[in-house]
Amino acid sequence: MGSEARKCELATVSLADNDYEAEPAGIPPSHCFGSEIGQPWISEGQSADSVILANGSRRNSKTRSSVSTADSGDDAVAQIDHSSDMDFCEEHESKLDWYCSSEAKLVCSQCVAAGSCHGHIVTPVTRRATVIRNQLVDVCEKMQLQASRIERFLSQTLVAKEQALQVDASAARERVVARLNLVREALEEEEQRLLEAVQREEERVQQCLLTQKAHWTQALDSLTHTRTRLVHTLTHTMDAKLVNSSQDIAERVEEAEGVGDPIDTEKLTMKFGCSESKLIMGLWASAALLGHMGHTPINLTFDDRTVSPLLSLSPDQRTLTFLSKRARRNPQYDPARFDSWPNALCSRLFSSGTHSWVVDVSQSDAFKVGVCYASLERKGSSDASRLGYNARSWVLSHFEDVISFCHAARHDYLSVVQKPRRIGILLDWPGCTLLFFDADSGTTLHTVCHPFTAPLLPACAVGNRSITLVQP
């Protein structure tokens, strides 16, 4: 249906040409009850369209109203006579030609003059109807505009959106395929490069093993032959001849000593880093943090036997708090307890599988989180018991607004925008990988690849305020 056909066909409505409505029968003219100067009394706050008479009734000060047609600019005016439609008052048998706003009902002139609506705010029915018609005109115009907007939305916006959807969906598919193809190509190239690197390293180590095997096989044969001759000399040579053979014996002994002892060197072991790749490690870390590794965060608590006297442990065994000198205690001696550094270990050992846990470090400016071997030294103030300063511990450290990874007294300083509030640790034991990440954003902070040779314990240290193991 066209918009022209849907317009409201509203005729112009006009009341009688009188300057005011005829007052109800039996009500004296308003000027008889006005003020001293004979003007009708209108209270403050009342509409200029209605006047309360002195006896309590109200008459209209305006009686003419017109409404423009919604379809065209025709000047036609339709005079509507509703006198035949009026009902009669059951009490006074008079026409219900007034509307009482106080009681929201139609009343007759006698009800207004001396009846139940005496003193109420009243309006002639014709004027009340005119107001309602004007409101209906506004509503219909608004509905017409709304219908036009809906029609435009259906015929233009949605059609355009549908066409754009096809284009956008096609572009998105092409983008996904292109990116995955790029990733596949990069992975294939990286796979080939890594396999070649592993092959070269294997061949190198194999060559070293063959060389060592040949060398020490020859050395063993020579040593065995020399030893056999010396044993024969020892057992079958007469004293005089043995004395005269001292020079020959010395040469053979020197020859045997020159063989030396075999040494197991790094050259005989395949380098662990030959298969490392930033690309592969980044993808692995992303997959691990997105939950594709099949692991779930574990519930950890600190082992009270390991907590340093410089720290206090909360009743739930999750929070470590650094103590001032006055608050420090002298706990019972325990060989598992750290006595000099503010360290503490968890009680759970990891020697298989993939595990993760989170530490809330938002309250502390000096802390360490990571893992260590159970054989880590517990006593004394040397680096042997200091987390990150020996070969038995791997930790992420924050001190003086600097974050670094610490292992064997070596520091790898990390570039971060701000200190994480919660640090997550992901341990992939089969993959020999330790991952530190921001638990709130999922950003990888640092990744370590190391062939762990013993079970690992979660380890923490705090030198300011407190840190807390987050319950999964």
Side-chain angles (χ1 to χ4, degrees):
M1 181 180 294
S3 60
E4 291 296 326
R6 289 195 304 270
K7 292 184 178 180
C8 299
E9 297 180 357
L10 302 177
T12 303
V13 179
S14 175
L15 301 179
D17 293 335
N18 297 329
D19 291 338
Y20 58 86
E21 293 290 335
E23 297 182 356
I27 301 179
S30 60
H31 63 273
C32 297
F33 302 96
S35 61
E36 293 181 357
I37 60 175
Q39 296 297 326
W41 174 71
I42 303 178
S43 63
E44 200 175 300
Q46 293 177 350
S47 170
D49 290 342
S50 300
V51 179
I52 296 181
L53 303 180
N55 63 359
S57 64
R58 164 178 292 192
R59 73 181 177 91
N60 291 56
S61 61
K62 295 191 295 183
T63 62
R64 187 179 301 275
S65 174
S66 62
V67 182
S68 302
T69 60
D71 290 342
S72 64
D74 295 339
D75 296 331
V77 177
Q79 184 70 32
I80 303 176
D81 183 10
H82 297 281
S83 59
S84 62
D85 297 335
M86 291 185 179
D87 295 329
F88 288 84
C89 177
E90 295 180 356
E91 181 180 355
H92 303 105
E93 297 183 354
S94 299
K95 289 184 178 181
L96 299 175
D97 52 0
W98 289 82
Y99 176 77
C100 179
S101 300
S102 301
E103 297 187 11
K105 68 179 182 179
L106 295 175
V107 295
C108 69
S109 57
Q110 296 185 40
C111 291
V112 174
S116 60
C117 292
H118 178 72
H120 291 183
I121 300 175
V122 296
T123 307
V125 169
T126 53
R127 181 168 296 281
R128 177 65 181 175
T130 300
V131 172
I132 295 176
R133 288 192 177 91
N134 290 338
Q135 293 174 347
L136 287 175
V137 169
D138 293 339
V139 170
C140 290
E141 289 179 348
K142 291 179 180 178
M143 292 174 66
Q144 179 180 339
L145 293 175
Q146 183 180 8
S148 298
R149 291 194 295 270
I150 293 175
E151 184 181 52
R152 286 195 300 271
F153 182 78
L154 290 171
S155 62
Q156 299 177 15
T157 304
L158 290 184
V159 172
K161 289 293 184 181
E162 186 176 7
Q163 296 173 351
L165 172 63
Q166 302 299 324
V167 175
D168 294 342
S170 178
R173 292 187 186 94
E174 293 177 358
R175 190 162 54 249
V176 169
V177 172
R179 289 180 177 177
L180 288 177
N181 286 337
L182 180 62
V183 172
R184 289 191 188 97
E185 292 175 2
L187 286 175
E188 289 175 358
E189 293 178 0
E190 190 70 1
E191 179 185 14
Q192 185 64 29
R193 185 188 70 82
L194 291 175
L195 292 177
E196 291 176 356
V198 171
Q199 181 67 25
R200 287 194 300 269
E201 181 65 11
E202 182 185 18
E203 293 175 353
R204 182 193 67 79
V205 176
Q206 186 65 36
Q207 185 61 42
C208 289
L209 292 175
L210 292 174
T211 301
Q212 290 289 314
K213 184 176 182 180
H215 171 76
W216 290 109
T217 298
Q218 182 181 358
L220 179 60
D221 293 342
S222 176
L223 187 62
T224 301
H225 178 70
T226 301
R227 178 178 176 278
T228 301
R229 293 189 61 180
L230 290 176
V231 170
H232 184 273
T233 301
L234 176 64
T235 57
H236 296 84
T237 304
M238 302 298 293
D239 293 345
K241 188 175 181 180
L242 182 63
V243 173
N244 291 330
S245 301
S246 59
Q247 181 64 29
D248 182 59
I249 293 173
E251 290 177 357
R252 294 184 183 279
V253 171
E254 183 179 358
E255 180 182 351
E257 291 176 347
V259 172
D261 293 327
I263 300 176
D264 184 6
T265 66
E266 293 183 357
K267 293 182 179 181
L268 302 178
T269 304
M270 190 171 180
K271 293 181 180 178
F272 183 80
C274 70
S275 61
E276 290 185 5
S277 165
K278 290 184 177 181
L279 174 61
I280 302 299
M281 183 57 65
L283 291 175
W284 176 87
S286 298
L289 297 181
L290 289 174
H292 300 316
M293 299 291 292
H295 75 280
T296 55
I298 58 175
N299 189 10
L300 291 179
T301 56
F302 289 107
D303 184 357
D304 181 55
R305 296 174 56 246
T306 67
V307 177
S308 167
L310 304 177
L311 307 174
S312 67
L313 182 62
S314 62
D316 63 359
Q317 296 185 318
R318 297 181 186 278
T319 300
L320 292 174
T321 302
F322 186 76
L323 298 173
S324 62
K325 290 184 178 180
R326 293 183 178 180
R328 291 174 187 172
R329 55 192 174 83
N330 293 317
Q332 184 178 1
Y333 176 82
D334 193 305
R337 191 183 309 281
F338 293 93
D339 62 0
S340 296
W341 297 106
N343 303 339
L345 307 179
C346 294
S347 55
R348 185 166 178 178
L349 279 168
F350 300 124
S351 58
S352 63
T354 301
H355 313 276
S356 68
W357 61 96
V358 177
V359 183
D360 186 340
V361 296
S362 59
Q363 301 298 318
S364 179
D365 294 325
F367 59 84
K368 295 176 182 178
V369 294
V371 295
C372 69
Y373 288 144
S375 59
L376 181 69
E377 183 62 44
R378 312 297 174 87
K379 306 301 179 182
S381 58
S382 67
D383 288 345
S385 59
R386 189 178 183 184
L387 292 178
Y389 281 79
N390 49 69
R392 299 179 181 181
S393 58
W394 298 259
V395 295
L396 200 70
S397 171
H398 180 273
F399 183 70
E400 294 183 347
D401 296 328
V402 175
I403 296 181
S404 61
F405 171 73
C406 305
H407 172 65
R410 293 182 57 184
H411 295 260
D412 294 333
Y413 295 98
L414 311 182
S415 177
V416 295
V417 177
Q418 61 182 3
K419 186 197 82 173
R421 294 179 58 83
R422 300 190 307 159
I423 295 179
I425 299 95
L426 176 65
L427 173 63
D428 178 18
W429 179 269
C432 302
T433 304
L434 181 65
L435 173 68
F436 297 92
F437 61 94
D438 185 333
D440 294 319
S441 66
T443 304
T444 300
L445 300 175
H446 191 72
T447 306
V448 184
C449 292
H450 187 85
F452 301 114
T453 58
L456 293 169
L457 285 168
C460 294
V462 56
N464 171 261
R465 298 181 182 174
S466 63
I467 60 174
T468 301
L469 287 169
V470 177
Q471 186 174 4

